[in-house]
Amino acid sequence: MSANKESWGTRVGLILAMAGNAVGLGNFLRFPVEAVNNGGGAFIIPYIICFLIMGIPLLWIEWTMGRYGGRFGNHSTPFILDNMTRLRFWKYFGVFGIFTNIAVAAYYCYIESWTLSYVFHSIGQTFSGMDQGQVAAFFNSYTDIGVSTTGIPYEAVIFYLICLALNTYILSRGLQDGVEKVAKIGMPLLIGFGAFLAIRGLTLGDSGSPAGCEDCDSLLGVNFLWEPQFDSLTNPKVWLAAAGQIFFTLSVGMGTIHCYSSYVRKNDDIALNAMSAGWMNGFVEIVLGASIVIPIAVGYLGLDWVKENAGFAMAFQTMPYLFDQWGPLLSTIAGVAWFGLLFFAGITSSLAMGTPWMGFMSDEFGWTRNKSAWSFGSLVLLLGLPTVYFYEQGVLGEYDYWAGTVSLVIFALAESIIFSWRFGINKGWDELNRGSDITLPIIFKPIIKFVTPFVILVVFVASLIQPLNNDWKGAISGNWEFDPSSIIGKIQNKAFIANRSYFADFFESEVAGTVAAITEEPTGEKTMEIVKTISYYRNEVNRIKPAPVDKSLIGNLNTFDSLTVLQTYTFEEDQRIIVQEGDSVNVSDKIATGSFVNNILYVDASRLLLVGLFLFICFLVYTATSLREKSEREKL
Amino acid sequence: MTSAALIMMIVVQSTVTIITGYFFYKVLTTPPKPEPDSFAENDDVEERQ
């Protein structure tokens, strides 16, 4: 029944496509931020150990499973897993290998479209002369689809559609003429752009330091990232963060590696290919990724600022401002290099996400390449539009959490158990070594069997029951309250303290403070700020920092109070503010009346959409199984 | 920048670069397997493993 006639053109093309699948936005944004948030130089040691005991084994497991499944004409995880076990039940774990890709592609294409749009904005010098606040506000306007930054109505939607259409068209060209060609062009360009920015980051020094800033030096940023702090090695939080980063950076637990390697013939090498692609991803992350965002940001904004503000949004809300300090020509080149780099990192990953669905539909239902590519595009569009329209309501974040985080861990745990314990480690090791162009250290055999599943299990359990504020010591000693970002905390919607009903005729404050300025636009739209007086102090390099409650922690430094805006709310014409300037409000106090649709509705609806997608793929797998059984009976 | 940070950076980044380069070099220089192999564009390569 299979209409699948795909193949790779060259071995280098396969490796670049596989490396492109792994190299994504996380290499440049997530890795340095995780390193900053987990003790700088201390992070790199657990990271490398996790790469050796979890990353490399998972890469080998997935390459092996994929090539093994490909021998039987299977190019997607449900039936690849089916080949390896005798229990039908495990096949449904393979649904994750299709589900994750569609759900992640839905929001990943949106982020990818930001990078595409920002390439054009860099060429058009949109950010020229803007201060940091204006660049950040530009991004907020961009994601607020009602506001146009270029004069194009619904610019974010249009760029999303362009990006999705481009992905779908390339997928419809097939593996060799589409995915592989893009990887062969995109990966060298990405490395070239990255090298240019990394050299700039490492050589910037304090040349961009504004007057009065004493910790604005890119080498301080480099120092912070690489200064070894061995005492952090005993902190479980750092190890969990390192293990999590390895998951996301290698794109393991998604099903894309299985799909790509299922087109490798049974006597061709996979062990060396896996190493080459995996280490290429490591090079992009450790050598390039660590040398761009943090050093450049520290060079202009200072180490303290970066420690407090490091995050994903820096790519769009901070970097254009920093490039603008380099003058018109260099800022345009740097903007194109940075957002071009992110675009190529994104598209080589999003293309990989399309191939498991295409392989499945082609294998099981005989769909042509065009039909399966455009059906993938349609599914992604259907799921992706809510992330575009309701970005500010948290839909993208929900997709990222459930599909882009939790699903990876569950699937990786299942596949490592299947490979070592159901298929059998001896058979699996022989399969991995078949046709290998390198000799594999035998130590990896027990690591794959025992250590890798155990580490993944620890990561999963830790995510499930993560205590409040990641305070494991406090939790073990008594009061174990789940963190809002733990799986249980997410299910309980613990992040929503106020406004917990879907629809309401009043609106509750989400912060405690004092009502400050209430302004009304001629359109009737009202804006209200809730402020609070917070104590700050100046540290030894004259940077202002919030003062901890326990003043003994900061010694004799003088503190001062400053009024800080905690939250700004905007209300429509038909909604009425019921508090007045100067009123004190607590969390959950009613501050406005009218008709309200709360964010919790969008969050729960997005979860339902994901569950619906999962069940839909389960149904397709069930139908495909029935068709296979019918075909077997007819043969008999 | 402290000496410890500099040494750490140079050792880690050099090691990762060398290992990446080594594996990629090995991929480029290893002759392909006998036909039929997985790759469509190397059919005219004569030197095989």
Side-chain angles (χ1 to χ4, degrees):
Chain A
M1 176 173 283
S2 176
N4 207 325
K5 301 281 185 285
E6 299 286 2
S7 71
W8 292 104
T10 61
R11 189 175 183 183
V12 170
L14 164 65
I15 289 167
L16 289 178
M18 203 62 103
N21 164 40
V23 172
L25 304 173
N27 292 61
F28 298 95
L29 303 174
R30 196 176 190 277
F31 171 75
V33 171
E34 284 294 309
V36 165
N37 291 337
N38 289 284
F43 182 73
I44 201 76
I45 296 170
Y47 172 88
I48 288 172
I49 293 172
C50 287
F51 178 61
L52 294 175
I53 63 170
M54 193 180 77
I56 288 177
L58 275 173
L59 284 174
W60 278 335
I61 287 173
E62 297 198 350
W63 276 81
T64 308
M65 290 173 91
R67 188 182 64 173
Y68 184 77
R71 275 159 64 178
F72 302 94
N74 297 316
H75 304 92
S76 62
T77 48
F79 288 99
I80 289 175
L81 295 195
D82 198 41
N83 275 141
M84 304 187 80
T85 61
R86 288 180 185 168
L87 294 175
R88 294 272 162 98
F89 160 77
W90 287 104
K91 173 172 52 192
Y92 287 92
F93 270 100
V95 169
F96 279 105
I98 299 175
F99 159 80
T100 302
N101 290 292
I102 295 172
V104 173
Y107 70 83
Y108 206 81
C109 283
Y110 185 39
I111 299 172
E112 202 178 300
S113 74
W114 299 347
T115 64
L116 189 63
S117 163
Y118 270 54
V119 167
F120 288 107
H121 283 296
S122 298
I123 293 169
Q125 300 193 331
T126 306
F127 308 109
S128 178
M130 282 189 184
D131 63 29
Q132 198 196 334
Q134 287 171 319
V135 172
F138 179 90
F139 177 73
N140 293 335
S141 305
Y142 183 84
T143 51
D144 180 357
I145 56 159
V147 180
S148 171
T149 55
T150 55
I152 308 171
Y154 297 108
E155 184 187 346
V157 182
I158 287 172
F159 270 99
Y160 178 65
L161 293 175
I162 291 171
C163 206
L164 187 53
L166 186 64
N167 272 279
T168 310
Y169 171 73
I170 294 168
L171 282 170
S172 74
R173 302 280 300 163
L175 218 50
Q176 195 181 331
D177 290 334
V179 174
E180 189 176 333
K181 270 190 181 162
V182 170
K184 281 178 171 172
I185 298 166
M187 284 303 288
L189 272 176
L190 179 153
I191 291 173
F193 287 160
F196 162 71
L197 291 166
I199 291 168
R200 183 76 182 138
L202 294 174
T203 56
L204 185 64
D206 60 359
S207 61
S209 172
C213 179
E214 292 178 30
D215 65 344
C216 294
D217 184 339
S218 69
L219 291 179
L220 278 178
V222 179
N223 188 73
F224 180 68
L225 274 178
W226 292 103
E227 174 92 67
Q229 296 169 39
F230 296 107
D231 54 332
S232 296
L233 293 178
T234 55
N235 186 349
K237 179 176 161 275
V238 177
W239 285 89
L240 282 173
Q245 178 61 22
I246 288 296
F247 251 106
F248 305 123
T249 188
L250 292 174
S251 293
V252 288
M254 287 190 75
T256 47
I257 294 175
H258 305 77
C259 181
Y260 276 6
S261 72
S262 68
Y263 297 99
V264 176
R265 286 180 184 261
K266 73 173 185 180
N267 290 321
D268 273 328
D269 167 89
I270 48 172
L272 174 61
N273 289 349
M275 283 299 86
S276 187
W279 281 95
M280 201 177 285
N281 174 72
F283 169 79
V284 171
E285 183 152 294
I286 295 170
V287 179
L288 302 181
S291 308
I292 300 176
V293 175
I294 301 297
I296 294 176
V298 172
Y300 287 100
L301 300 165
L303 187 56
D304 274 352
W305 186 94
V306 170
K307 280 184 192 173
E308 284 162 24
N309 297 285
F312 182 81
M314 274 175 74
F316 301 94
Q317 296 187 327
T318 310
M319 295 305 277
Y321 164 72
L322 304 182
F323 295 147
D324 195 39
Q325 313 307 307
W326 298 353
L329 179 65
L330 203 54
S331 73
T332 304
I333 294 171
V336 171
W338 172 242
F339 292 111
L341 168 160
L342 292 181
F343 176 71
F344 285 123
I347 196 165
T348 46
S349 301
S350 59
L351 287 173
M353 293 172 203
T355 51
W357 167 265
M358 291 176 65
F360 177 74
M361 297 312 282
S362 177
D363 290 347
E364 307 305 324
F365 300 102
W367 282 22
T368 61
R369 189 193 281 165
N370 259 331
K371 194 174 171 185
S372 45
W374 289 101
S375 62
F376 171 76
S378 308
L379 256 179
V380 169
L381 178 67
L382 195 69
L383 277 158
L385 280 179
T387 69
V388 180
Y389 280 97
F390 305 118
Y391 170 76
E392 287 169 354
Q393 283 79 3
V395 173
L396 191 150
E398 282 305 298
Y399 278 33
D400 183 41
Y401 185 81
W402 294 108
T405 310
V406 176
S407 295
L408 306 189
V409 184
I410 294 174
F411 183 60
L413 183 59
E415 69 180 1
S416 67
I417 292 170
I418 289 171
F419 184 83
S420 300
W421 298 88
R422 297 292 313 169
F423 188 61
I425 187 64
N426 290 329
K427 206 174 160 189
W429 187 254
D430 290 345
E431 185 61 33
L432 168 62
N433 277 284
R434 183 197 299 273
S436 172
D437 287 334
I438 51 172
T439 307
L440 304 184
I442 194 72
I443 183 71
F444 275 102
K445 198 172 168 183
I447 288 177
I448 291 174
K449 185 169 184 181
F450 299 105
V451 180
T452 307
F454 177 74
V455 174
I456 304 171
L457 186 65
V458 169
V459 171
F460 177 68
V461 173
S463 314
L464 188 72
I465 58 168
Q466 183 188 333
L468 191 61
N469 300 325
N470 230 344
D471 179 15
W472 290 89
K473 283 178 189 167
I476 290 165
S477 66
N479 184 24
W480 197 307
E481 193 178 339
F482 297 115
D483 193 81
S485 65
S486 67
I487 296 175
I488 294 177
K490 275 276 183 184
I491 292 168
Q492 292 176 335
N493 275 328
K494 285 178 81 76
F496 292 94
I497 300 167
N499 302 309
R500 287 183 63 89
S501 57
Y502 293 156
F503 304 99
D505 52 10
F506 54 85
F507 188 82
E508 299 168 342
S509 175
E510 290 151 329
V511 292
T514 306
V515 178
I518 298 175
T519 54
E520 186 165 349
E521 300 291 323
T523 55
E525 193 178 84
K526 297 167 277 286
T527 304
M528 182 180 92
E529 287 177 345
I530 296 184
V531 299
K532 190 178 180 182
T533 301
I534 296 179
S535 285
Y536 293 89
Y537 72 98
R538 286 183 188 278
N539 69 3
E540 60 280 5
V541 288
N542 208 32
R543 300 286 291 188
I544 297 169
K545 294 174 72 93
V549 177
D550 182 0
K551 288 191 178 176
S552 66
L553 292 175
I554 55 170
N556 296 323
L557 294 172
N558 287 327
T559 59
F560 61 93
D561 293 340
S562 178
L563 207 57
T564 306
V565 177
L566 297 178
Q567 188 70 272
T568 304
Y569 292 116
T570 303
F571 297 104
E572 303 295 327
E573 185 186 358
D574 54 351
Q575 295 165 341
R576 194 169 69 85
I577 294 174
I578 56 170
V579 288
Q580 293 178 336
E581 287 184 19
D583 284 356
S584 289
V585 290
N586 287 316
V587 175
S588 298
D589 281 358
K590 292 176 186 174
I591 54 173
T593 57
S595 179
F596 293 92
V597 181
N598 290 320
N599 287 356
I600 196 168
L601 170 71
Y602 299 97
V603 165
D604 281 349
S606 57
R607 290 175 189 170
L608 273 180
L609 267 177
L610 293 177
V611 171
L613 174 68
F614 192 88
L615 293 176
F616 171 62
I617 299 168
C618 284
F619 170 73
L620 289 180
V621 171
Y622 177 79
T623 309
T625 308
S626 305
L627 286 172
R628 281 184 174 220
E629 287 169 353
K630 190 180 165 192
S631 167
E632 288 294 317
R633 280 198 300 272
E634 282 172 359
K635 276 184 193 167
L636 291 172
Chain B
M1 199 170 171
T2 64
S3 307
L6 191 63
I7 291 167
M8 179 94 168
M9 185 179 89
I10 290 172
V11 168
V12 172
Q13 292 198 337
S14 306
T15 308
V16 170
T17 306
I18 289 167
I19 294 174
T20 306
Y22 168 74
F23 282 132
F24 199 61
Y25 172 77
K26 206 158 169 51
V27 165
L28 292 174
T29 54
T30 304
K33 294 281 194 299
E35 290 286 358
D37 72 350
S38 314
F39 309 108
E41 290 176 18
N42 69 357
D43 294 354
D44 53 349
V45 175
E46 287 178 5
E47 191 193 349
R48 299 273 168 177
Q49 284 186 46

